[in-house]
Amino acid sequence: MLHYMGQGVPEDERQAVFYWKKAASQGSADAMFHLGSAYLFGNQAARTVPDPDREAATWYFQAASAGHADAQYHLGLLFLAGKGVIDSRTEAARWMRKAAAQGHQEAKKALGIIESGR
C-alpha cells in the first residue's frame, strides 16, 4: 500500500502490484482485493493484461471466496455491470448478500436495490 499511495516511498504501482502478488500467493485476501482494485482502477496494472476487467474479477473472486467483504461487494458490482464477468443480478445478489452478512453497509444498500427490482 505504501508504494501504491506513495507514502514514505516513491509512488510506484508496479512495485505495489509486485508485492501484492507475493502476498496473494501466500494467501492474503487483502492483497488479492488490492490487486483486483489495481487492475480495475489503477493506471499501470491495467496496461499489463489483455482484459483488465476480467483480471480484476479474477482477483476479487479469489478474495471474495476467502471471505473478504469488500471483495464480495466489488465482485457483486462487477456482476451488476457485466464487467469482466457475465451480467447477472442473481450472482450480484449472492455476493452482496455475503458482504452484507458481514456488516458491509454499501452491500446492504445495494442488496436492497437489487432485491426490490430497481
Side-chain angles (χ1 to χ4, degrees):
M1 283 304 298
L2 296 177
H3 282 286
Y4 192 74
M5 304 300 288
Q7 295 176 333
V9 294
E11 186 176 320
D12 187 340
E13 185 177 317
R14 288 180 199 180
Q15 195 67 28
V17 167
F18 170 79
Y19 284 117
W20 283 330
K21 283 185 177 179
K22 285 184 75 124
S25 72
Q26 295 174 31
S28 170
D30 281 336
M32 294 169 197
F33 169 73
H34 289 303
L35 280 165
S37 295
Y39 286 106
L40 198 59
F41 304 114
N43 295 316
Q44 297 169 351
R47 293 186 216 145
T48 65
V49 294
D51 187 347
D53 292 340
R54 187 168 180 85
E55 189 73 16
T58 298
W59 286 109
Y60 282 154
F61 177 79
Q62 288 184 47
S65 297
H68 195 284
D70 281 331
Q72 292 166 342
Y73 169 70
H74 281 82
L75 185 58
L77 291 176
L78 291 180
F79 275 109
L80 275 178
K83 289 184 63 141
V85 293
I86 60 170
D87 183 344
S88 172
R89 290 176 76 86
T90 301
E91 279 299 303
R94 176 175 169 253
W95 289 106
M96 292 294 183
R97 203 170 287 112
K98 288 177 179 279
Q102 294 188 66
H104 195 286
Q105 293 303 311
E106 293 302 313
K108 288 179 183 181
K109 291 177 194 173
L111 186 57
I113 293 168
I114 293 168
E115 290 179 338
S116 72
R118 289 186 268 160

